[in-house]
Amino acid sequence: MTSDAIAVPAVAAPVLSLARGIIHMPAIIARRPKPPPQIETDVSIHRQPVGVAADWQTGIASECARHEILCPPVFEYLKATGLVTRCVFLSSEDGVGPLLFRYIGLPTRQTLGNAWADAHLGKPDSAPSANLADGIDAQYREAIEAGEPLLNRVCVTGLKATPLHFSHLLMGWRLPNGRRALLSAVELL
């Protein structure tokens, strides 16, 4: 063997040896998982007046406005009324990092599946389609910056065999420590 050879012994913990054994480190050999294929979709998002939201969505907006900041009483309200299962909650670790899924409710689970939802908890928001991600992300940013509820009616074609229609009432916050948070109250139509 020459001095430039890489030796990987056939033992339980392989070690890479380079240049006469000056550097020793465990060999980590792994395959990167392939990202899921992007689905071609068409997404149309239509802003609606908050007043036409479902009663339960306006109830959430009223409760959020009553507290003016995301706080434990908002979550207590959602749990006590059973509305938490209709919501998606995202927040950032800091003021500049991505929004991370903290809770994914039933409408999203019914649409994208429990396996997708479970795999994305604690991870950055992502969608199975670039068009869907771009459209929804822009709405999330607007809701956070505005600090006011936004209601959209959304139609997505190409994600499923039939078009997906839903409304989402978005409540966004920029917390005092710079973190961002978003609550999405989703109704499948």
Side-chain angles (χ1 to χ4, degrees):
M1 214 184 285
T2 67
S3 64
D4 293 328
I6 297 176
V8 181
V11 295
V15 175
L16 293 178
S17 296
L18 302 174
R20 295 185 187 198
I22 295 172
I23 300 173
H24 292 285
M25 68 184 89
I28 300 171
I29 302 170
R31 293 184 192 176
R32 290 183 179 242
K34 291 182 181 178
Q38 287 287 306
I39 299 168
E40 290 297 320
T41 60
D42 287 319
V43 179
S44 63
I45 300 173
H46 302 280
R47 181 65 44 85
Q48 304 292 307
V50 174
V52 302
D55 289 344
W56 65 272
Q57 289 172 316
T58 56
I60 290 173
S62 295
E63 185 68 15
C64 290
R66 192 166 77 83
H67 294 287
E68 295 182 9
I69 189 163
L70 185 62
C71 58
V74 172
F75 291 107
E76 290 167 12
Y77 167 82
L78 292 172
K79 289 177 186 174
T81 58
L83 295 175
V84 71
T85 61
R86 293 177 156 192
C87 296
V88 172
F89 175 63
L90 303 104
S91 68
S92 63
E93 291 290 332
D94 54 37
V96 294
L99 290 174
L100 306 174
F101 281 110
R102 305 302 184 174
Y103 178 81
I104 300 174
L106 293 176
T108 304
R109 288 177 175 277
Q110 289 171 344
T111 302
L112 299 176
N114 284 326
W116 182 92
D118 292 342
H120 286 81
L121 283 173
K123 296 191 177 142
D125 182 16
S126 64
S129 149
N131 291 342
L132 183 57
D134 292 345
I136 298 298
D137 286 349
Q139 302 303 308
Y140 287 178
R141 284 190 304 276
E142 184 180 350
I144 290 168
E145 295 308 317
E148 297 288 328
L150 301 178
L151 178 68
N152 292 309
R153 193 171 179 124
V154 182
C155 177
V156 182
T157 56
L159 189 60
K160 300 257 183 195
T162 59
L164 172 65
H165 296 274
F166 65 94
S167 71
H168 62 190
L169 177 86
L170 304 175
M171 293 293 304
W173 296 269
R174 186 166 295 275
L175 305 176
N177 63 2
R179 289 179 62 202
R180 292 163 293 125
L182 183 108
L183 181 68
S184 176
V186 182
E187 180 172 45
L188 296 176
L189 304 172

